[in-house]
Structure formats: C-alpha cells, structure tokens
Amino acid sequence: VRDDRYTRLFKEAMVLPVVQVYGKRDELYAYGRQSQPELYQNPVILEHDEGHKFPSQKPRATEIYERVLKEILWHCADPAQAN
C-alpha cells in the first residue's frame, strides 16, 4: 500500500481468493511482485514475459487463461463443473 493513510487496513492478510498475473516487462513488475502478494493469505501468482496486460503469446497465455478459469470455477461455480 503506497498511501500510508491506508496501511492500517492491511495489517493482516486478506482471506479471499485472488489470482495475480504479472508481466515481467511491466514497469511496475518489481513493485507489484514485492508488495501485492503479502496482502493476501494464499494468492495464486502467475507470471509471463510480456508487459502490463494479460498475455497473448502462446503457450504461456493459454496456461494462464486455463488457470484463471480453473480458479474462478473452483470458487464461484458448482463444484461438479470445476473438474
């Protein structure tokens, strides 16, 4: 959290599902990778070699989209559909 006025809100890691997708060529990559995961208890962290966007280069793009879908279905859909 960059604004110290809100630091007190994040003293404990949040307990909610989160998927974090980081592009290694993003100018904010180092900041995000260092600061964001600690805000959540069990973040799913995915990386790719592109910039500040969801990836478009296969095969990594396909792997990331499939994992994001899997996480959404696991947490939001009928459990029978998540498999």
Side-chain angles (χ1 to χ4, degrees):
V1 179
R2 292 185 285 183
D3 190 330
D4 290 334
R5 293 176 296 173
Y6 302 104
T7 303
R8 63 181 169 73
L9 300 174
F10 301 98
K11 289 187 179 188
E12 293 183 29
M14 291 181 272
V15 183
L16 59 117
V18 64
V19 176
Q20 298 176 348
V21 180
Y22 296 100
K24 293 179 183 176
R25 292 187 187 154
D26 182 352
E27 63 187 37
L28 299 172
Y29 171 79
Y31 170 76
R33 276 301 272 124
Q34 179 183 10
S35 65
Q36 299 305 298
E38 68 187 26
L39 298 176
Y40 303 92
Q41 275 197 0
N42 295 304
V44 173
I45 299 172
L46 306 172
E47 296 184 332
H48 58 84
D49 292 325
E50 297 179 52
H52 190 86
K53 64 178 187 164
F54 269 75
S56 58
Q57 297 174 2
K58 295 182 180 182
R60 187 65 181 142
T62 301
E63 295 166 357
I64 287 176
Y65 294 131
E66 287 175 352
R67 181 64 187 273
V68 170
L69 176 60
K70 179 181 175 182
E71 294 297 324
I72 290 170
L73 291 175
W74 173 256
H75 292 285
C76 300
D78 177 354
Q81 294 178 2
N83 295 325

